[in-house]
């Protein structure tokens, strides 16, 4: 049962890792031309680094028209995503501007429409069947006219914008069937690429038709039959040299990446989907091997100890005519059977682990599929048989080689291992790893609590953040809230402080005109000072009526800009970069430093500008009583004054909790691994202790006959293990310090590694280990010496 349980626990985690690997390698397997499809990535000019999944928009047309090895090329742009409105219904999603060639490269099945013409005309829109059902029910979607309000929602649905732009009216020209498998290109809508030229000026973030913009576009290529990746790469090198070779700056190189190489891939920029980086999958694979190797080692330990009670059986079999091969097959078969029994229990544990992973924050974006398949089950069975063979190999090999005469005549002299050095090293390693995991869990939990109680320097309780989508929505909403008794103050801001986003610009102090300084900024109005309860240490607030010529700065900026003291900085002029030009502004006041960046970053300079047309959020300070009623009143007010925009809100403190949720996931995962490492190590220790007691049973009997006490025998059997534990602690504590200090360095506000977490880890290991060692030693020590000596 110990063997089965040890293998089952380890195997369940390995099966989980196998399923994650199968999921990540299952992307884009359904495309019929997958071996000839490539996406073009961008790297730094003539350097294979700084890789981004995006590329220049004109690249596809140039490849198709000038290079004969290319059968098809398609360009897509990611700057579309928002609400599709039909009559009184709306559906929200992200997608791409695309040309029709995309359907000639990737296999997208149409439920309605013709893939040859669906994206030919401007203001054509192809949507998924899910969106079509929301908007049109059982009606045909083809030919329907819909309004589109862009809100900068990305195709991955992770990044939601807060600015609304009316893109006009589109015609539905196609409805797609659901994809038959996982894709690296998830989207809910595709608009014709030609629409981009017809959109209002300023609708798109960057100019689309130049080679410098390699950030918002993607290029897909279908090679002709017989052409190779190296041929495409050679052509891409020619394009890169032709376009960028003579330029002094903004140089890029292009890189061919096969469709099956896109997932998994390394850590790159501008990806089209969320997946686990290749390096993480490699770490998981190594972890899987380590876990199973530990479990196999423990099985070997236990089997070795149990083999001593079976040597007579083996001797009789050999005397009766059994050869080495038959004895070997018998012991290997037993190991495989036990491993297959373990697989049954591991599969039951896997169901629990799957539900646990489903509940983790990051799986909301990864969407790991645990759907069982025939191939998956066969892989599980094959893995189980492999584990059984590896675990049973050593005992089976040794027992098969034993001389039957020695088995009968010198039973007391049988030692399955003459040298214990390797096993001691492995045991020390196992316990060192376990101790490192325990200390790490304690420190991660402490750091998570520290961040949870982190002082941001601003008020975050009972503040509702409402997306404006249009800056003009703010004044109507704020004015209407004046009569709401549950609202104490309202302010507007262009981003959520400490929410993980920041804008950067350049500032020049006229006293040092040759020095351009980088700084962070965002826009606010006067109400934000009251809502967030920011402390003005000098000067005064921005006027209530607003003024884009006045700014506030933080104390860090006062030092960074060489403005003297906070009082001296008030009234001074600065030049702030604004859409390519520098604009003169005056410092109205200085606010006390607050954590406007995420908690893992140290304090930096901040300029608070006052441009009402840049506001993206309304922050509403509300009463903590009867929150449901307060939210209902806010929504009613919003719908009354801004009927064309939906009410989208969050609580500020909950928004800032995302990093804690991710840390919670990490704690859960490392906690599971820690339990597994400890459990497996303890089984290994149990095997070693049992083995030692079995091989020294006659020695113990003789010692007791000569007068040794039980306590003396317990000490005799335990002292070797205690030395090994001491070595493990001496190795693990420094290693745990350096490993945990490395990741804690990423947090600007962090805990220190003290005696308590180390003491907890050492204490847990010692309690468990000493309990196991003493229990086995006591069990051997209390055996009647007559029983242990009479068996020959």
């Amino acid at each position: 049962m110990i063997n089965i349980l040890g293998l089952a626990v380890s195997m369940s985690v390995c099966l989980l890792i196998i399923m994650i690997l199968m999921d990540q390698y299952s992307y884009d397997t359904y495309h019929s031309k997958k071996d000839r499809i490539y996406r073009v990535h961008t790297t730094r000019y003539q350097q294979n680094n700084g890789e981004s999944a995006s590329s220049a928009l004109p690249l596809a047309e140039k490849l198709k028209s000038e290079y004969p090895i290319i059968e098809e090329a398609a360009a897509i742009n990611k700057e579309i995503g928002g609400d599709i409105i039909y009559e009184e219904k709306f559906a929200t999603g992200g997608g791409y501007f695309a040309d029709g060639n995309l359907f000639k490269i990737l296999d997208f099945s149409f439920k309605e429409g013709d893939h040859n013409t669906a994206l030919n005309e401007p203001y054509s829109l192809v949507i998924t069947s899910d969106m079509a059902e929301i908007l049109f029910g059982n009606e045909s979607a083809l030919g329907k006219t819909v309004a589109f309000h862009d809100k900068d929602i990305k195709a991955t649905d992770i990044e939601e914008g807060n600015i609304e732009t009316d893109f006009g009216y589109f015609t539905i020209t196609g409805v797609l069937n659901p994809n038959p498998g996982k894709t690296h290109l998830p989207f809910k809508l595709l608009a014709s690429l030609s629409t981009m030229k017809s959109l209002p000026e300023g609708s798109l973030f960057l100019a689309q038709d130049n080679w410098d913009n390699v950030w918002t576009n993607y290029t897909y290529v279908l090679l002709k039959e017989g052409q190779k990746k190296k041929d495409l790469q050679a052509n891409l090198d020619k394009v890169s040299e032709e376009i960028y070779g003579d330029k002094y700056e903004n140089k890029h190189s292009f890189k061919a990446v096969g469709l099956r190489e896109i997932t998994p891939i390394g850590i790159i920029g501008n990806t089209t989907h969320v997946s686990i980086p290749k390096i993480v999958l490699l770490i998981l694979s190594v972890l899987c091997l380590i876990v199973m190797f530990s479990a196999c080692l423990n099985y070997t330990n236990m089997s070795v100890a149990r083999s001593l009670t079976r040597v007579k059986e083996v001797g009789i079999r050999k005397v009766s005519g059994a050869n080495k091969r038959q004895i070997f097959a018998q012991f290997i078969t037993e190991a495989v059977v036990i491993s297959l029994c373990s697989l049954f229990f591991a599969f039951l544990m896997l169901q629990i682990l799957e539900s646990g992973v489903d509940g983790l924050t990051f799986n909301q974006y990864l969407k790991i599929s645990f759907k069982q398949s025939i191939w998956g089950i066969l892989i599980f069975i094959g893995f189980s048989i492999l584990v059984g063979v590896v675990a049973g190999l050593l005992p089976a090999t040794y027992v098969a080689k034993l001389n039957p005469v020695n088995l009968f005549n010198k039973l007391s002299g049988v030692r399955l291992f003459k040298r214990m050095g390797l096993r001691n090293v492995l045991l020390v390693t196992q316990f060192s790893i376990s101790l490192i995991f325990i200390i790490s869990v304690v420190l991660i939990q402490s750091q998570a609590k520290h961040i949870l109680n982190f002082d941001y320097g601003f008020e975050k309780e009972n503040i509702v953040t409402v997306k404006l989508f249009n800056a003009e929505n703010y004044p109507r909403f704020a004015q209407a809230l004046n009569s709401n008794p549950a609202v104490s103050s309202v302010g507007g801001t262009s981003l959520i402080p400490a929410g993980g986003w920041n804008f950067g610009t350049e500032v020049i102090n006229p006293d040092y005109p040759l020095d351009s300084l980088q700084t962070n900024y965002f826009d606010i109005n006067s109400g934000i000072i009251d809502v967030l309860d920011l402390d003005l240490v000098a000067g005064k607030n921005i006027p209530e009526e607003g003024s884009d010529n006045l700014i506030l700065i933080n104390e860090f900026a006062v030092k960074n800009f060489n403005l003297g003291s906070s009082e001296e900085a008030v009234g001074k002029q600065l030049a702030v970069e604004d859409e390519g030009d520098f604009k003169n502004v005056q410092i109205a006041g200085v606010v006390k430093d607050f954590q406007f960046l995420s908690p893992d970053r140290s304090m930096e300079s901040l300029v608070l500008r006052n441009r009402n047309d840049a506001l993206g959020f309304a922050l509403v300070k509300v009463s903590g009583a009867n929150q449901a009623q307060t939210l209902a009143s806010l929504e009613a007010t919003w719908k009354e004054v801004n009927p064309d925009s939906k009410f989208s809100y969050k609580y500020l403190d909950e928004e800032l909790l995302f990093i804690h949720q991710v840390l919670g996931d990490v704690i859960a995962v490392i906690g599971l691994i820690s339990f597994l490492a400890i459990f497996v190590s303890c089984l290994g220790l149990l095997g070693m202790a049992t083995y030692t007691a079995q091989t020294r049973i006659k020695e113990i009997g003789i010692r007791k006959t000569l007068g040794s006490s039980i306590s003396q025998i317990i000490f005799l059997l335990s002292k070797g293990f205690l030395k090994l534990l001491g070595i493990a602690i001496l190795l693990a504590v420094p290693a745990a310090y350096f490993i945990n200090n490395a990741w804690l360095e990423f947090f600007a506000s962090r805990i220190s590694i003290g005696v308590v977490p180390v003491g907890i880890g050492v204490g847990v290991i010692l309690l468990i280990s000493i309990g196991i060692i003493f229990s086995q030693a006591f069990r051997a020590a209390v055996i009647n010496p007559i029983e242990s000596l009479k068996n020959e």
Side-chain angles (χ1 to χ4, degrees):
M1 287 307 297
I2 290 175
N3 277 336
I4 290 173
L5 183 61
L7 287 174
V9 171
S10 301
M11 203 179 289
S12 65
V13 175
C14 291
L15 296 185
L16 180 70
I17 293 173
I18 288 171
M19 292 204 72
I20 292 173
L21 290 171
M22 289 172 61
D23 174 82
Q24 292 298 292
Y25 279 95
S26 69
Y27 280 77
D28 302 303
T29 56
Y30 60 90
H31 295 286
S32 58
K33 305 167 188 172
K34 54 182 175 288
D35 295 331
R36 295 190 287 136
I37 299 172
Y38 294 84
R39 186 170 72 184
V40 180
H41 290 192
T42 303
T43 63
R44 293 188 179 96
Y45 183 66
Q46 294 183 345
Q47 302 176 47
N48 193 23
N49 57 27
E51 187 172 340
S52 168
S54 51
S55 54
L57 192 66
L59 178 61
E61 182 58 34
K62 185 174 182 66
L63 289 173
K64 176 74 184 296
S65 59
E66 298 182 18
Y67 294 92
I69 71 167
I70 308 295
E71 183 175 318
E72 293 292 348
I76 63 175
N77 172 276
K78 66 179 182 179
E79 291 190 86
I80 184 170
D83 293 340
I84 302 175
I85 303 165
Y86 178 72
E87 295 177 348
E88 294 183 355
K89 300 175 184 175
F90 72 89
T92 303
Y96 299 92
F97 291 106
D99 65 49
N101 289 335
L102 186 68
F103 300 132
K104 300 176 183 177
I105 299 173
L106 300 172
D107 293 343
F108 292 108
S109 168
F110 273 72
K111 184 178 181 180
E112 294 184 67
D114 183 358
H115 71 273
N116 293 310
T117 59
L119 294 177
N120 286 357
E121 300 298 323
Y123 290 97
S124 298
L125 194 65
V126 175
I127 60 177
T128 62
S129 56
D130 290 340
M131 294 194 84
E133 187 175 343
I134 293 170
L135 293 168
F136 311 110
N138 296 325
E139 298 178 29
S140 171
L142 284 185
K144 294 284 198 309
T145 299
V146 296
F148 192 89
H149 290 181
D150 186 78
K151 294 181 177 177
D152 196 30
I153 295 175
K154 306 306 178 189
T156 53
D157 283 337
I158 291 180
E159 216 177 298
E160 290 191 15
N162 61 314
I163 297 175
E164 187 172 24
T165 306
D166 188 354
F167 274 8
Y169 291 90
F170 286 73
T171 302
I172 303 295
T173 54
V175 177
L176 296 174
N177 286 314
N179 289 314
K182 299 195 78 168
T183 175
H184 77 283
L185 200 62
F187 57 80
K188 293 184 178 177
L189 56 94
L190 293 174
S192 54
L193 197 65
S194 55
T195 308
M196 294 169 64
K197 297 177 181 177
S198 308
L199 292 173
E201 186 176 348
S203 298
L204 303 178
F205 183 60
L206 293 168
Q208 304 305 311
D209 56 356
N210 66 68
W211 289 88
D212 289 337
N213 174 19
V214 295
W215 316 114
T216 62
N217 316 290
Y218 302 87
T219 305
Y220 289 86
V221 171
L222 177 65
L223 291 184
K224 288 183 178 176
E225 294 277 5
Q227 301 298 327
K228 303 295 183 184
K229 179 180 179 179
K230 63 180 181 180
D231 303 321
L232 173 59
Q233 186 60 56
N235 290 337
L236 291 174
D237 292 341
K238 290 179 185 176
V239 174
S240 174
E241 192 60 39
E242 177 188 341
I243 301 298
Y244 303 110
D246 297 330
K247 294 183 71 173
Y248 232 70
E249 54 187 0
N250 291 335
K251 290 187 177 185
H252 308 286
S253 291
F254 298 121
K255 176 182 177 181
V257 178
L259 183 65
R260 298 301 306 277
E261 297 175 301
I262 293 175
T263 309
I265 200 168
I267 300 174
I268 64 173
N270 274 347
T271 55
T272 54
H273 69 307
V274 180
S275 63
I276 301 175
K278 205 172 217 176
I279 183 67
V280 177
L281 292 178
L282 179 61
I283 292 170
L284 286 174
S285 301
V286 171
L287 177 64
C288 177
L289 293 176
I290 291 172
V291 165
M292 273 330 301
F293 178 75
S294 297
C296 290
L297 176 67
N298 291 333
Y299 177 88
T300 300
N301 289 340
M302 295 298 291
S303 297
V304 163
R306 295 297 299 163
S307 295
L308 291 175
T309 63
R310 301 183 61 187
V311 288
K312 284 189 177 180
E313 172 200 340
V314 174
I316 292 170
R317 286 182 178 276
K318 285 196 168 190
V319 170
S320 302
N323 57 35
K324 290 181 180 179
R325 187 178 301 173
Q326 290 170 320
I327 299 295
F328 178 85
Q330 175 196 346
F331 276 78
I332 280 289
T333 303
E334 287 179 6
V336 169
V337 169
I338 287 177
S339 183
L340 288 172
C341 292
S342 300
L343 176 63
F344 172 77
F345 293 105
F347 192 79
L348 297 179
M349 295 179 194
L350 178 64
Q351 311 310 309
I352 301 172
L353 293 177
E354 286 175 6
S355 62
V357 171
D358 275 337
L360 296 178
T361 301
F362 57 73
N363 199 47
Q364 297 173 18
Y365 310 114
L366 287 173
K367 298 180 175 67
I368 295 172
S369 171
F370 294 109
K371 186 178 179 182
Q372 302 294 339
S373 65
I374 296 297
W375 277 112
I377 293 171
L378 290 176
I379 288 173
F380 286 177
I381 294 173
F383 177 75
S384 178
I385 292 172
L386 178 64
V387 167
V389 170
V390 171
L393 192 60
L394 187 59
T397 302
Y398 190 87
V399 172
K401 287 181 178 179
L402 288 177
N403 188 323
V405 176
N406 289 340
L407 291 178
F408 290 113
N409 292 342
K410 299 179 182 178
L411 183 58
S412 60
V414 173
R415 297 295 295 266
L416 296 181
F417 292 95
K418 292 181 181 178
R419 299 185 63 182
M420 301 292 288
L422 176 62
R423 298 183 73 203
N424 288 347
V425 168
L426 291 173
L427 191 66
V428 168
T429 303
Q430 280 186 311
F431 274 89
S432 298
I433 293 171
S434 299
L435 183 53
I436 290 169
F437 274 126
I438 294 171
I439 295 172
S440 300
V441 168
V442 175
L443 288 171
I444 290 172
Q445 286 180 327
S446 300
Q447 179 65 18
K449 289 177 182 176
H450 176 74
I451 293 178
L452 192 62
N453 300 317
F454 179 75
D455 183 10
Y456 286 89
F458 61 82
E459 181 63 46
K460 58 185 176 67
E461 305 294 332
N462 299 320
I463 295 176
V464 180
T465 66
V466 180
K467 286 186 180 180
L468 295 176
F469 298 113
N470 189 326
E472 295 176 359
N473 289 339
Y474 176 79
R476 295 190 294 268
F477 184 53
Q479 186 175 6
L481 289 178
N482 286 336
S483 58
N484 191 326
V487 175
S488 56
S489 55
V490 185
T493 177
S494 58
L495 56 73
I496 304 299
W501 293 90
N502 63 293
F503 302 138
T505 188
E506 293 183 18
V507 169
I508 295 176
N509 183 345
D511 294 338
Y512 307 92
L514 299 180
D515 294 335
S516 174
L517 301 169
Q518 286 290 328
T519 187
N520 301 280
Y521 81 92
F522 60 92
D523 287 88
I524 64 169
N525 64 12
S526 60
I528 287 296
I529 301 296
D530 292 331
V531 173
L532 296 180
D533 196 20
L534 299 179
D535 187 7
L536 272 168
V537 296
K540 56 185 179 181
N541 193 6
I542 295 165
E544 190 173 338
E545 63 274 12
S547 172
D548 58 3
N549 293 319
L550 294 175
I551 62 170
L552 301 175
I553 62 174
N554 67 351
E555 294 172 302
F556 194 97
V558 173
K559 299 173 186 175
N560 200 34
F561 300 162
N562 292 315
L563 297 172
S565 67
S566 296
E567 289 74 15
E568 291 170 340
V570 175
K572 287 189 175 181
Q573 299 282 331
L574 292 175
V576 180
E577 193 272 332
D578 188 8
E579 297 182 0
D581 298 322
F582 280 88
K583 179 179 180 178
N584 291 324
V585 294
Q586 186 179 33
I587 300 172
V590 178
V591 297
K592 187 177 181 179
D593 287 337
F594 64 95
Q595 191 67 27
F596 64 94
L597 298 169
S598 56
D600 60 311
R601 296 179 60 178
S602 55
M603 186 58 63
E604 296 180 15
S605 58
L606 173 67
V607 171
L608 295 169
R609 307 177 73 173
N610 181 217
R611 299 173 299 173
N612 288 330
D613 60 349
L615 300 182
F617 297 89
L619 270 57
V620 185
K621 179 75 172 175
V622 298
S623 166
N626 206 338
Q627 292 185 349
Q629 184 178 335
T630 301
L631 286 173
S633 67
L634 293 181
E635 184 172 7
T637 303
W638 177 270
K639 288 181 177 179
E640 182 182 339
V641 297
N642 298 314
D644 295 329
S645 294
K646 68 179 179 182
F647 181 69
S648 178
Y649 77 94
K650 289 180 181 177
Y651 274 97
L652 178 58
D653 55 349
E654 291 177 359
E655 281 200 76
L656 300 182
L657 272 177
F658 179 75
I659 188 168
H660 310 306
Q661 293 170 342
V662 173
L663 274 173
D665 289 352
V666 173
I667 291 170
V669 171
I670 294 189
L672 174 64
I673 296 171
S674 301
F675 167 76
L676 182 66
I678 296 166
F679 186 83
V680 170
S681 297
C682 290
L683 283 181
L685 183 60
L686 181 62
M688 287 280 281
T690 306
Y691 168 76
T692 301
Q694 289 277 356
T695 55
R696 302 181 71 176
I697 197 72
K698 283 194 168 48
E699 176 193 344
I700 294 168
I702 294 170
R703 286 181 180 274
K704 288 190 73 175
T705 304
L706 295 176
S708 293
S709 67
I710 291 177
S711 59
Q712 288 174 321
I713 292 173
I714 289 175
F715 177 74
L716 176 72
L717 295 176
S718 304
K719 64 180 181 180
F721 293 115
L722 294 176
K723 287 179 183 177
L724 295 179
L725 279 174
I727 295 170
I729 291 169
L730 289 175
L731 293 175
V733 169
Y737 177 84
F738 286 112
I739 291 170
N740 286 285
N741 195 57
W743 68 262
L744 282 169
E745 287 293 332
F746 288 100
F747 292 88
S749 177
R750 49 160 287 184
I751 60 169
S752 59
I753 303 176
V755 176
V756 173
V758 175
I760 291 173
V762 171
V764 169
I765 282 291
L766 283 176
L767 281 174
I768 296 173
S769 304
I770 290 174
I772 291 174
I773 294 167
F774 281 14
S775 68
Q776 292 302 304
F778 179 78
R779 183 181 170 191
V782 297
I783 294 176
N784 190 329
I786 297 173
E787 296 294 327
S788 59
L789 293 174
K790 74 176 183 180
N791 59 13
E792 284 188 7

